[in-house]
DNA sequence: GTATTTTTTTGATATGGATCAAAGCCGCGT
DNA sequence: ACGCGGCTTTGATCCATATCAAAAAAATAC
């Protein structure tokens, strides 16, 4: 991962962000509140973690984890979004997920990375060496349990995605995606549906969408246009979608009979 | 999960099988060696675990985990095979994975099961209540680390499967599957390829294969026939495939250019 | 503000895999 | 051995989505 050398990197250890802790406040970069994964950690535990962390800023498009390379680091994202993907030698790409503020990254078994990770915008994150994380585990077994929870949640998402990729039609995939993105943005109270006319911000290109949903950009575009024609959504601009009828979208997504 | 009442169940706690421990010997049911996930546990640790386990035998076709139901148990499979799947209301099914001897099952985040599990043949397993497993964690933090390893490995497989479902052609899916099944059966030394002319036992119907690979049974059958015509494999009977040219199969699977 | 490039949408056509249909094949019970 | 029912394979056709192409819109540069 020679590319890491090009990064603006602060070697001085600073407090890492495991959910915008210590005070659950708004993000210093964008003002939004990023709920994270390790809220249960105490000040002392965070201070312990901080001793082995480096804070790094990545330019958009930077591939900072490369599939097949030695898995040397774990990451905790503070700000920005990351796409995780696998590629075939002929260029076909499958995005396996997205990571955002508060998320852990690098949960790969084995010696080498199972996927690549690329900054979608300007990304700030904390980096740990694998070895130092192992040392942290010795002192902080609770972190291991946290990570188990994270991994299990990732597995649930992966299984949903397999159902989507293996068995859903293009329209169903788009509808499923819109709703799952609303969940991701915490627009769904208690795991329910987002409110009618919710505005969904999509910091994704159509290409990302296609590579995430196993479609082509043309099919993504056509499916969105069709949902718009049918009055399910409105598309004021490329990166915003208004969910006019979330209930019906949900029925499409789950193929309710 | 009312179906559990129909099971032949021994309530007396007995030694669970976390990798055919304590002595890594051959399976008492089928004679084969089942490598498992918790080989590092000591006798004492195993004894501790055993106190909260129940041994259960399932008939083929028994659905013992149901998607959406309350996730009450963890399972450790001793013998037999299990398919894990998600379904849509109209009957479309996606198999998300298979579990066999030594595997853990029930690694789902949240209150409810994210998938269903069904015995493919006669299955023997050990069952823990979720609560008792949590208690075990307190005494055996090492188990948590083991499970984290398991979950991470599952994630790697899930990501591979997403690439397969989202971006590979039918032939590539079949080739990928054959090789991954060979890995599963430990026919691949050091993560390499299986030997030429290896005999692959497939305890799966074509329907299972189709639902795992996101295809129809007809396409599965046609793709296998084509690989046979091309001299890649031989199919002496429905449940056995001979890998005549694993290297070429691998090139097909990974879409080498 | 205008030119240039990139991304997105829309249209026309092609195709891989699905669907519909029928013929083997195999296991099982009698 | 025979007949039956459920898999599996093969064949014919169809269709959802890919591919190819071009216009429209948005982003970027000048």
């Amino acid at each position: 991962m020679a590319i890491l050398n090009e990064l603006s990197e602060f070697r001085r250890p600073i407090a890492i962000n495991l959910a915008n802790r210590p005070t659950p406040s708004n993000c210093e970069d964008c003002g939004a509140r990023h709920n994270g994964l390790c809220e249960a950690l105490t000040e002392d535990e965070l201070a312990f973690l901080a001793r082995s962390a480096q804070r790094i800023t990545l330019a958009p498009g930077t591939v900072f984890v490369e599939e097949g390379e030695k898995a040397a680091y774990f990451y905790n994202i503070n700000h920005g979004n990351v796409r995780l993907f696998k590629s075939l030698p002929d260029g076909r790409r499958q995005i396996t997920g997205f990571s955002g503020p508060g998320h852990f990254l690098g949960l790969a078994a084995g010696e080498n990375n199972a996927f690549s990770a690329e900054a979608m915008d300007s990304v700030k994150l904390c980096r740990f060496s694998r070895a130092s994380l192992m040392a942290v585990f010795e002192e902080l077994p609770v972190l291991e349990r946290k990570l188990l929870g994270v991994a299990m949640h990732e597995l649930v998402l992966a299984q949903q995605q397999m159902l989507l990729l293996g068995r859903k039609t293009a329209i169903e995939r788009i509808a499923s995606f819109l709703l799952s993105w609303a969940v991701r943005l915490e627009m769904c109270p208690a795991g329910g549906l987002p409110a009618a006319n919710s505005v969904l911000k999509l910091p994704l290109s159509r290409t990302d969408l296609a590579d995430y949903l196993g479609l082509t950009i043309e099919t993504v575009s056509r499916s969105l246009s069709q949902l718009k024609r049918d009055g399910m959504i409105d598309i004021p601009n490329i990166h915003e979608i208004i969910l006019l009828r979330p209930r019906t979208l949900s029925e499409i997504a789950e193929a309710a009979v």
Side-chain angles (χ1 to χ4, degrees), chain A residues 146-183:
Chain A
K146 283 278 164 191
L147 284 185
L148 180 56
V150 172
M152 293 196 302
H153 182 64
E154 295 287 317
L155 266 178
V156 171
L157 295 182
Q159 286 156 355
Q160 286 176 199
Q161 196 68 0
M162 284 189 255
L163 176 62
L164 181 149
L165 292 169
R167 289 302 183 214
K168 290 188 180 178
T169 66
I171 286 277
E172 289 164 359
R173 291 181 201 205
I174 296 287
S176 299
F177 168 78
L178 292 175
L179 292 172
S180 73
W181 200 260
V183 170

Side-chain angles (χ1 to χ4, degrees), chain A residues 2-254:
Chain A
I3 203 159
L4 275 176
N5 298 331
E6 304 165 13
L7 308 175
S8 74
E9 181 174 330
F10 308 96
R11 296 220 159 257
R12 154 182 57 101
I14 60 168
I16 65 152
N17 181 337
L18 290 164
N20 274 6
R21 293 267 318 187
T23 13
S25 58
N26 289 1
C27 175
E28 64 191 46
D29 290 309
C30 63
R33 174 73 189 287
H34 302 319
N35 288 317
L37 299 158
C38 296
E39 289 169 343
L41 298 183
T42 66
E43 300 298 317
D44 286 351
E45 291 165 345
L46 280 168
F48 186 96
L49 270 175
R51 284 203 288 280
S52 63
Q54 299 168 318
R55 189 163 194 175
I56 296 177
T57 301
L58 303 174
T62 309
V63 177
F64 63 101
V65 177
E66 210 135 8
E67 186 180 350
E69 298 278 319
K70 194 159 172 58
Y73 301 102
F74 282 83
Y75 304 87
N76 182 241
I77 300 177
N78 293 351
H79 179 77
N81 292 290
V82 166
R83 57 181 153 249
L84 313 176
F85 61 96
K86 290 175 74 76
S87 300
L88 291 171
D90 62 5
R92 280 175 281 173
R93 184 179 73 155
Q94 179 66 40
I95 294 180
T96 57
F98 300 98
S99 270
H103 288 192
F104 252 105
L105 209 145
L107 279 179
E111 281 291 291
N112 299 319
N113 296 315
F115 55 81
S116 302
E118 180 179 8
M120 296 167 71
D121 39 31
S122 180
V123 167
K124 293 184 181 176
L125 48 75
C126 285
R127 193 180 81 176
F128 309 78
S129 77
R130 249 180 137 71
S132 71
L133 195 73
M134 293 306 146
V136 170
F137 280 167
E138 299 305 323
E139 300 286 327
L140 271 188
V142 68
L143 186 58
E144 226 155 357
R145 182 168 308 181
K146 283 278 164 191
L147 284 185
L148 180 56
V150 172
M152 293 196 302
H153 182 64
E154 295 287 317
L155 266 178
V156 171
L157 295 182
Q159 286 156 355
Q160 286 176 199
Q161 196 68 0
M162 284 189 255
L163 176 62
L164 181 149
L165 292 169
R167 289 302 183 214
K168 290 188 180 178
T169 66
I171 286 277
E172 289 164 359
R173 291 181 201 205
I174 296 287
S176 299
F177 168 78
L178 292 175
L179 292 172
S180 73
W181 200 260
V183 170
R184 187 192 158 85
L185 296 183
E186 299 180 17
M187 295 163 62
C188 300
L193 294 174
N197 304 315
S198 301
V199 178
L200 199 66
K201 303 230 180 227
L202 284 188
L204 307 168
S205 69
R206 296 292 188 255
T207 302
D208 282 338
L209 214 34
D211 284 349
Y212 183 51
L213 300 178
L215 301 168
T216 59
I217 51 172
E218 293 95 331
T219 299
V220 167
S221 183
R222 270 186 254 273
S223 301
L224 284 169
S225 298
Q226 163 144 17
L227 287 174
K228 184 177 177 182
R229 265 198 308 281
D230 296 349
M232 302 289 135
I233 62 174
D234 200 7
I235 311 177
N237 67 68
I238 305 285
H239 293 294
E240 266 181 26
I241 290 184
I242 300 176
L243 306 178
L244 299 175
R245 302 173 58 194
R247 168 42 85 41
T248 318
L249 273 177
S250 165
E251 286 165 3
I252 294 173
E254 297 308 317

